[in-house]
Amino acid sequence: MSCNQPSPWHHSCQQQDILSTTPAHLQPVLKSVFSDLEFCTAETVGLPPEALILYLHIHNYLPCILLCLDMNGTIVSVNQFGASCLGYKPQELIDKPIFNLFASSEQQRLSEVLIGLLEESSTGKVSRWEFPLDCPGSKMDWVRVMAQVLHPGENSPVIMMVCEDITAQKQAEAALAQFQKASQEQFKEMQTVNHLKEEFLSTISHELRTPLTNMKMAIQMLSIILNQEQNMLSELSKPQIEGSKAARYFQILTSECDREINLINNFLDLQRLETSIKPIILEKIKLQEWLVRVVNAFSAKKNCSDKEVQVSVEANLPPFSCDPFSLEKIIIEMLTNACKFSPKGEKIIVKAESLSQKIQLQVTNTGVEIPPAELPRIFEKFYRIPSNDFWKRGGTGLGLALVQKLTHRMGGTIKVESGSNRTCFTIQFPMEIRV
């Protein structure tokens, strides 16, 4: 038989009533497409039987849920694929209310939106909603519903409904909402903890600083009395082996009290930087004069007489806008660190210059190197470079950590280089610090 010749099956299909040979649950679909059909044949439809059968096959197995409803919300047609997705056979859904497929809490809303759709059917618009399902045999929990009224104005309009599975999307949204809620709760807890920390630090500041301040004052008064009675100042100026025991004990008391005060101040300052964000108070300073004054005040106050401290400031530096209090703290801590670890007779050089629209400060001390393995850790809190001699490991391990925090707070960077019998800390600030 030639391929161009119609088959006997083709001829027989042409003679049949197409509507009568269509499954009952699909007949409303054909009626909705060919609305004026009462008796549908291949000739009256204008399509070959193969095309109609192909259409019905596509309708049945199109990978989405296709439903036809009457004006009361009763299911008059459902495709095979859609019924399977919902956990039913097509015949189990025919003549059943569409509302039975959805959660009871949403049935009233679904009824209202369908009534509204029928009232606006003349516009021919496609409406979209999202509803939770209640189908025990289905893996879907949520669907996006798209619906349109076909052939409005007739006595029995048909509502064509397409449902798309959005369960994964809703689960992701729920997980995101839960995560956001947990994040908000965690943020509130962190705020509470930070508030408690600030209150704790405020209390500790008072409870620790007040006794130490009293101790410092008592030591100063004791120094006056001992100087009057035993010429203590001359005893303190003598080498340790030549001075009196009272002078030696007094020196220990003074230095350890200063050490404790410095420890508490650094710890509290560091904690405040970590737990609260306070605005930087900027002030323009003339770095040439300011830096010399700070270094001279440090040299006069601290026991750094056995090292040579030099200051080098580039001429004609522009006024530098910064937080003077924080910058002074940075310089003092770096000088203290240099004095502590530099051998007797070595140099400490403080240098300031402009470099590529930045202000660069350097503190260099000679006669000592930091092992390369220790360089990455020197800015950690409470970290001190190991030494075979425990008594030479002094310090609290907070000074450089505080320097780094203050530098970053003012928008600067800090790095350290060590080698060739010298150690150099380099800090760079933008010429214009922004708050």
Side-chain angles (χ1 to χ4, degrees):
M1 183 176 63
S2 173
C3 292
N4 294 325
Q5 293 178 349
S7 66
W9 175 82
H10 176 77
H11 285 293
S12 64
C13 285
Q14 282 187 323
Q15 304 303 318
Q16 293 181 10
D17 180 344
I18 298 299
L19 191 62
S20 64
T21 59
T22 303
H25 70 279
L26 292 180
Q27 291 181 13
V29 178
L30 287 180
K31 286 184 178 181
S32 67
V33 177
F34 310 107
S35 56
D36 53 353
L37 289 183
E38 290 294 337
F39 187 77
C40 178
T41 65
E43 290 81 359
T44 57
V45 171
L47 294 175
E50 293 93 333
L52 281 175
I53 293 174
L54 178 62
Y55 167 77
L56 296 175
H57 183 79
I58 292 173
H59 171 272
N60 252 328
Y61 296 102
L62 192 68
C64 61
I65 303 171
L66 300 176
L67 296 156
C68 284
L69 316 176
D70 64 15
M71 60 186 303
N72 297 317
T74 301
I75 300 173
V76 296
S77 172
V78 61
N79 65 331
Q80 179 70 44
F81 181 89
S84 299
C85 288
L86 295 172
Y88 297 94
K89 296 178 180 179
Q91 56 270 25
E92 293 176 331
L93 295 176
I94 302 302
D95 295 330
K96 298 295 190 299
I98 186 67
F99 312 104
N100 292 352
L101 301 178
F102 295 89
S104 58
S105 59
E106 296 292 326
Q107 292 179 4
Q108 180 63 33
R109 184 167 75 94
L110 177 59
S111 175
E112 292 172 356
V113 297
L114 290 179
I115 291 173
L117 182 66
L118 288 169
E119 291 175 349
E120 299 178 5
S121 61
S122 59
T123 62
K125 73 171 186 177
V126 177
S127 298
R128 293 172 174 83
W129 316 283
E130 293 179 355
F131 284 97
L133 288 174
D134 184 16
C135 299
S138 175
K139 295 181 179 180
M140 297 186 297
D141 295 323
W142 277 85
V143 290
R144 179 180 289 113
V145 177
M146 293 171 284
Q148 184 181 29
V149 177
L150 301 181
H151 311 298
E154 297 184 359
N155 293 332
S156 301
V158 175
I159 300 174
M160 181 70 74
M161 181 181 288
V162 179
C163 298
E164 176 190 0
D165 183 14
I166 58 169
T167 302
Q169 174 188 326
K170 285 297 182 179
Q171 289 174 344
E173 290 176 359
L176 178 60
Q178 186 176 3
F179 174 76
Q180 290 175 337
K181 182 180 179 181
S183 298
Q184 290 175 352
E185 292 176 353
Q186 187 176 15
F187 178 72
K188 290 180 180 179
E189 289 178 2
M190 290 177 63
Q191 285 184 317
T192 302
V193 170
N194 285 338
H195 179 68
L196 293 174
K197 275 187 177 180
E198 289 181 355
E199 288 186 350
F200 171 74
L201 291 175
S202 178
T203 303
I204 289 296
S205 174
H206 175 75
E207 295 299 327
L208 291 181
R209 280 177 170 166
T210 300
L212 284 172
T213 301
N214 293 337
M215 289 171 61
K216 185 67 177 176
M217 185 180 297
I219 290 172
Q220 291 173 347
M221 297 301 298
L222 181 60
S223 173
I224 295 173
I225 295 173
L226 291 177
N227 187 50
Q228 292 174 349
E229 296 180 355
Q230 302 180 19
N231 198 16
M232 180 62 68
L233 291 179
S234 62
E235 290 292 325
L236 291 173
S237 62
K238 294 179 182 180
Q240 186 174 354
I241 58 175
E242 297 177 8
S244 65
K245 289 184 178 181
R248 187 160 64 250
Y249 296 152
F250 181 82
Q251 183 65 42
I252 293 173
L253 184 63
T254 302
S255 61
E256 290 303 306
C257 183
D258 289 340
R259 182 167 174 263
E260 288 301 310
I261 290 174
N262 187 58
L263 167 63
I264 292 169
N265 287 339
N266 284 350
F267 176 72
L268 294 176
D269 290 342
L270 194 57
Q271 288 299 106
R272 284 197 183 93
L273 287 172
E274 292 180 346
T275 58
S276 62
I277 302 177
K278 295 182 180 179
I280 299 175
I281 301 176
L282 298 181
E283 181 182 334
K284 285 193 174 183
I285 62 173
K286 295 181 178 180
L287 204 54
Q288 297 94 326
E289 302 172 2
W290 182 90
L291 189 57
V292 171
R293 185 174 68 252
V294 169
V295 174
N296 289 340
F298 171 83
S299 300
K301 185 177 179 181
K302 297 291 183 179
N303 184 20
C304 206
S305 58
D306 58 347
K307 287 95 176 175
E308 182 183 352
V309 182
Q310 300 177 358
V311 181
S312 173
V313 183
E314 180 183 316
N316 301 320
L317 275 180
F320 179 40
S321 180
C322 66
D323 179 359
F325 176 80
S326 296
L327 187 59
E328 181 176 353
K329 187 73 174 175
I330 290 170
I331 298 297
I332 294 298
E333 287 297 334
M334 292 179 68
L335 285 171
T336 301
N337 185 74
C339 278
K340 186 186 302 178
F341 294 104
S342 297
K344 183 178 180 180
E346 296 293 338
K347 292 182 180 180
I348 298 173
I349 304 170
V350 182
K351 185 178 180 180
E353 59 184 337
S354 61
L355 185 67
S356 302
Q357 298 299 313
K358 293 182 179 179
I359 293 293
Q360 179 171 285
L361 300 173
Q362 288 183 318
V363 177
T364 304
N365 57 309
T366 61
V368 67
E369 295 181 21
I370 301 175
E374 305 299 331
L375 288 175
R377 300 195 61 189
I378 62 173
F379 294 109
E380 294 180 11
K381 288 190 297 184
F382 300 108
Y383 183 75
R384 293 182 292 177
I385 298 174
S387 171
N388 293 330
D389 188 348
F390 177 83
W391 298 105
K392 291 183 179 179
R393 291 177 56 189
T396 62
L398 291 176
L400 290 179
L402 181 60
V403 166
Q404 187 186 57
K405 287 286 184 182
L406 289 171
T407 300
H408 290 171
R409 183 171 178 263
M410 291 199 295
T413 61
I414 182 171
K415 65 178 182 178
V416 58
E417 297 174 337
S418 190
S420 302
N421 203 35
R422 64 191 288 274
T423 298
C424 177
F425 287 85
T426 302
I427 296 178
Q428 289 186 347
F429 293 108
M431 195 70 74
E432 290 293 332
I433 295 177
R434 301 181 182 274
V435 295

